[in-house]
Amino acid sequence: MKTVLVTGGLGFIGSHTVVELIGRGYRVVVADNLTNTRADVLDRIATITGTAPVWANVDLADPVACGALLAGHPELDGVIHFAAHKAVGESVQKPLAYYHNNFGSLVNLLRFVAERPRCGFIFSSSCTVYGQADTLPIREDAPVKPAESPYGNTKQVGEEILRDAARAHGLKAIALRYFNPIGAHPSAKIGELPLGVPQNLVPFLTQSAAGLRGALKVFGNDYPTRDGTCIRDYIHVVDVALAHIYALERLLAGKGEQPVEVFNLGTGTGSTVLEVIQAFERATGVKLAYEFAPRRPGDVVAAYADTERAARLLGWRAERSLDTAMADAWRWQQSLPKA
Ligand code: UD1
């Protein structure tokens, strides 16, 4: 049985990945200090899978605590590193907290992996590294554009840290650049738990539909797109989770061709904000109140993935539709307390 450390394993994408790993017979060790989630996610994972993963409540940016955790698990075959701060706006207010946490945890984990090059390493990156790409769909060799926020910078520099460490220490690693993960587990037992007012489209939309927020504000309707609203590549979180397992299996099979390989995780299809709203209404039968509002600073016009590389080298493709993702997100929202 192979053992995988999943950092941030109680978070949105992490928890879905833990479920899929357990379902495929992996033994999972979760490291999560509940910065942006709740301990009962562990019970929910156990309800879905019938297995409670080992959980360590550890601040990975603390080198002593991180070192102790890793020393206690010499059996690891892989590390999937999700744990990171991820709010764009907050990162502008608290850049040092973002750099301390996101770089500290990455460096501490890599120090361990550097001593055990057999251990595969998967890093959560983001399509934010492309900024407004010059060509669509976006291929992995598109240039990395200057980061718009400290959060975005932690993803760009995180990839560089990974590349330097992999070259120097003979590691095998993969960086996965997520487009827009949405949806929830079909059981509605796990999903996204944004603190406060959601900044991302789909959690705001479902909370708005549930009557917890005002009307959804659509940021900008004068973009040069088919209906004037921004285009993104929304991908079901279960598809994103599965891609991590394909990536890990590529590393464990010794198939990695470079010290760090980079893959886009998207569907390849861009949807406008209005198309997302239509998909929600179609999938749930619920009518959504929305209004147009000014553009949000920092938003790019359009981003969607070229998925050929992931299909060819990982053998992975997103399979779940936007409508399925909206239905699952809505079922999850309805399972949450009304307050
Ligand atoms: C955002 C971040 C990105 C980060 C990702 C993580 C910004 C500028 N980008 O991506 O760096 O990696 O989250 O999840 O913050 N929208 C509305 N009304 C809303 C919310 C969003 O119209 O209330 C629109 C946005 O203008 C955008 C689309 O919905 O066109 C998607 O927005 P969002 O879910 O925040 O994702 P990104 O901006 O793509």
Side-chain angles (χ1 to χ4, degrees):
M1 188 185 251
K2 297 221 183 296
T3 304
V4 183
L5 174 67
V6 182
T7 78
L10 302 184
F12 176 43
I13 306 174
S15 59
H16 289 81
T17 304
V18 170
V19 165
E20 297 303 327
L21 281 166
I22 293 172
R24 277 162 187 71
Y26 286 87
R27 181 174 168 267
V28 176
V29 178
V30 168
D32 198 305
N33 66 348
L34 307 180
T35 299
N36 194 19
T37 187
R38 298 188 319 220
D40 75 331
V41 174
L42 201 72
D43 307 327
R44 291 162 173 265
I45 290 170
T47 306
I48 297 170
T49 64
T51 305
V54 177
W55 171 40
N57 185 343
V58 171
D59 176 2
L60 298 166
D62 173 348
V64 176
C66 184
L69 170 71
L70 295 167
H73 290 285
E75 77 282 19
L76 293 181
D77 297 286
V79 175
I80 305 182
H81 179 39
F82 293 104
H85 293 333
K86 63 169 186 179
V88 175
E90 185 186 56
S91 79
V92 176
Q93 309 300 321
K94 303 179 186 170
L96 299 179
Y98 271 64
Y99 291 134
H100 169 78
N101 185 60
N102 292 8
F103 292 149
S105 57
L106 177 62
V107 169
N108 290 337
L109 289 166
L110 287 174
R111 279 198 167 135
F112 165 78
V113 178
E115 291 166 8
R116 313 191 54 202
R118 198 181 56 86
C119 181
F121 192 90
I122 313 285
F123 177 65
S124 296
S125 189
S126 168
C127 72
T128 196
V129 303
Y130 299 118
Q132 179 57 69
D134 304 318
T135 310
L136 295 169
I138 305 173
R139 284 164 43 124
E140 288 84 348
D141 57 6
V144 168
K145 297 274 177 81
E148 291 269 351
S149 68
Y151 159 76
N153 209 24
T154 67
K155 294 302 176 191
Q156 294 191 1
V157 179
E159 286 192 11
E160 289 172 15
I161 291 171
L162 187 58
R163 220 166 276 129
D164 291 344
R167 266 196 218 111
H169 301 293
L171 310 182
K172 288 285 187 220
I174 287 179
L176 298 175
R177 292 176 175 165
Y178 311 152
F179 280 68
N180 290 62
I182 59 164
H185 194 265
S187 67
K189 297 252 179 281
I190 54 172
E192 210 168 353
L193 279 170
L195 291 178
V197 182
Q199 304 302 308
N200 293 116
L201 176 62
V202 173
F204 192 99
L205 186 159
T206 55
Q207 289 193 11
S208 171
L212 303 173
R213 307 276 165 208
L216 170 71
K217 290 191 167 57
V218 176
F219 296 140
N221 63 345
D222 57 351
Y223 284 101
T225 62
R226 47 189 175 265
D227 62 21
T229 65
C230 290
I231 293 178
R232 295 288 183 275
D233 187 339
Y234 298 92
I235 175 168
H236 197 295
V237 64
V238 173
D239 280 322
V240 174
L242 288 168
H244 290 75
I245 301 176
Y246 283 75
L248 182 66
E249 286 176 350
R250 177 172 173 83
L251 294 179
L252 296 182
K255 291 188 182 157
E257 290 165 0
Q258 295 151 22
V260 180
E261 293 181 313
V262 174
F263 295 97
N264 287 336
L265 298 189
T267 66
T269 301
S271 304
T272 68
V273 178
L274 294 181
E275 287 163 354
V276 172
I277 294 170
Q278 287 155 15
F280 175 79
E281 293 184 336
R282 191 166 57 228
T284 66
V286 176
K287 192 97 186 101
L288 188 83
Y290 67 89
E291 59 197 35
F292 293 113
R295 292 181 176 197
R296 181 173 69 177
D299 271 344
V300 299
V301 180
Y304 52 95
D306 186 314
T307 59
E308 183 273 334
R309 190 177 150 79
R312 180 165 46 88
L313 295 180
L314 296 181
W316 168 90
R317 256 182 209 292
E319 287 175 353
R320 291 155 184 80
S321 69
L322 180 60
D323 286 37
T324 298
M326 299 310 287
D328 288 340
W330 181 234
R331 208 171 317 113
W332 164 244
Q333 177 64 52
Q334 287 179 297
S335 79
L336 295 172
K338 288 284 168 218

